[in-house]
Amino acid sequence: MSSTNDTHDTKSTEATIDRLVERGVFEAPLGDEVRPTAAFDDAVERYRQTLTDADDRRTVVASLTDDPETATALSAGQVTDPDFLARYLALRERDPDLSPARALALAAVIGQTDKERPPAEGAPEAFLPVDGADLQRLVGLYDRCVVYAWREDCTPCDAVRGDFDDLFADGPPDDLLPLAVYGPDCPRLLDREFDVTGAPTILFTLEGRVDSRFVGAPTTAGLRAEVETLRERTLPSER
């Protein structure tokens, strides 16, 4: 799956939201709040029921999407959660021109409207705040991710956030997916799945696997160099 991350670019996001309002996915936004329409929720529920009743959700997803690359990525990423899959399929149904990468990220964002949103005040501007479940899914689905685990009252975390804001001052990168997770919300998952036990920790992932990491606050030059190294790394599937 391409790791194109146009979901977070400000102008691109505004244009996407406007288009999805026109296509009945979102209600007209009130301030910064964007919520799905009742019609979109109905479509999600229809897909959710189909997926919940299925013995093999991967097969069902493959039959419901005309994008083999995405079906393969979902299968490889072991994405079987019917709620997430239903949101993804409903997005693609309502807006077939929506790129698979953007639909996947939006499926995570829309899911946040149905539950308490993950803390975001410590996340750099370019990063999508996610909970543990969406972190696992998106890392498994995108070729290259930068994952920033943070906590409150953490001076090194503040330094890392500032460095990322400077590094991505022109907006989010189009070749990496930056994700921010609040460590105290899911410490066991972070320890079990990513060997993260403290904050700040920065992970650089390739096709779902941690390729390198920083524990603590790196130098600004070191952080910039590691991001560039991630961009240049050959994907395991291409070796």
Side-chain angles (χ1 to χ4, degrees):
M1 168 68 62
S2 170
S3 57
T4 298
N5 182 28
D6 52 6
T7 305
H8 311 298
D9 176 78
T10 302
K11 292 181 179 179
S12 181
T13 297
E14 290 176 354
T16 298
I17 290 174
D18 288 344
R19 189 175 74 198
L20 293 179
V21 168
E22 293 176 359
R23 301 195 180 187
V25 173
F26 293 132
E27 297 175 355
L30 296 174
D32 293 332
E33 291 295 319
V34 178
R35 294 197 60 84
T37 64
F40 180 78
D41 283 341
D42 288 345
V44 171
E45 182 57 34
R46 172 165 45 83
Y47 278 118
R48 182 187 291 116
Q49 189 61 50
T50 300
L51 292 161
T52 300
D53 292 343
D55 293 330
D56 185 349
R57 290 173 189 159
R58 297 175 193 173
T59 300
V60 172
V61 171
S63 71
L64 293 174
T65 179
D66 59 359
D67 178 43
E69 180 185 1
T70 298
T72 300
L74 289 167
S75 179
Q78 298 182 349
V79 180
T80 58
D81 175 15
D83 293 332
F84 183 87
L85 293 171
R87 292 192 297 270
Y88 169 79
L89 292 168
L91 278 166
R92 294 282 286 165
E93 173 189 284
R94 287 274 170 161
D95 190 349
D97 296 330
L98 197 64
S99 72
R102 181 171 291 191
L104 288 166
L106 281 171
V109 172
I110 291 172
Q112 294 174 4
T113 66
D114 298 330
K115 58 188 178 183
E116 185 176 352
R117 294 188 177 185
E121 60 272 17
E125 281 294 320
F127 283 60
L128 173 65
V130 292
D131 60 18
D134 281 333
L135 174 65
Q136 278 188 280
R137 294 186 189 107
L138 294 174
V139 165
L141 289 167
Y142 280 76
D143 291 345
R144 294 176 173 85
C145 297
V146 179
V147 178
Y148 170 54
W150 62 280
R151 62 178 175 83
E152 294 177 326
D153 300 320
C154 170
T155 300
C157 295
D158 294 338
V160 172
R161 179 180 60 185
D163 283 343
F164 272 128
D165 284 339
D166 290 342
L167 182 60
F168 299 139
D170 294 333
D174 60 5
D175 54 350
L176 308 169
L177 178 64
L179 302 169
V181 60
Y182 180 58
D185 270 359
C186 52
R188 292 182 181 178
L189 181 146
L190 288 172
D191 184 10
R192 182 183 69 246
E193 300 296 333
F194 300 101
D195 194 24
V196 171
T197 58
T201 296
I202 307 160
L203 307 177
F204 303 88
T205 70
L206 284 175
E207 292 187 334
R209 296 182 180 276
V210 176
D211 187 63
S212 62
R213 71 177 66 218
F214 284 121
V215 179
T219 65
T220 302
L223 182 61
R224 184 180 299 274
E226 199 63 34
V227 169
E228 291 307 313
T229 297
L230 180 65
R231 288 182 163 126
E232 295 168 0
R233 292 275 281 138
T234 302
L235 296 172
S237 61
E238 296 175 353
R239 291 171 187 164

